[in-house]
Amino acid sequence: HEKFDTIMGADVIYTEASIPPLFDTVAFFLKKPRGRFVLSRYNKWSNVDDEVIIKAAKERFMHCTKGSEGIYIFHWNETEENEQTDEK
């Protein structure tokens, strides 16, 4: 399967139930160790807290950097990167 340097998603989270499959898909297709997932979200119509999204990312060894309002950039943790380097 082809892997991608950058994956972008906008207005893709409407319920908490949609978060795990979203991050499973991102984790599968995102290149390691330097891939980035850029998420744009506006919390007007959804009651999904940022903490729930960030927790889902952490469970998949991803770290979140918050850009400007409503922009989140997820990338692989350095720990995951080091583990992968050690495996090679």
Side-chain angles (χ1 to χ4, degrees):
H1 299 287
E2 186 175 356
K3 303 286 183 173
F4 298 93
D5 294 320
T6 304
I7 297 173
M8 300 181 75
D11 295 329
V12 293
I13 297 175
Y14 298 99
T15 65
E16 280 191 33
S18 67
I19 298 169
L22 172 65
F23 277 93
D24 287 344
T25 302
V26 168
F28 182 81
F29 284 106
L30 195 62
K31 277 187 182 177
K32 291 183 181 179
R34 306 214 189 293
R36 299 284 185 257
F37 171 46
V38 180
L39 175 65
S40 172
R41 67 184 302 261
Y42 185 61
N43 209 17
K44 183 176 181 179
W45 297 282
S46 168
N47 287 331
V48 178
D49 290 330
D50 291 343
E51 292 78 26
V52 175
I53 297 167
I54 293 168
K55 181 178 180 239
K58 285 182 180 179
E59 290 171 352
R60 288 152 185 86
F61 304 104
M62 299 183 87
H63 177 74
C64 178
T65 302
K66 198 168 183 182
S68 58
E69 186 176 346
I71 304 294
Y72 304 84
I73 302 167
F74 296 91
H75 53 89
W76 298 111
N77 279 338
E78 287 183 20
T79 303
E80 174 70 9
E81 182 177 333
N82 292 337
E83 288 173 7
Q84 274 205 324
T85 304
D86 293 342
E87 290 173 6
K88 291 182 180 180

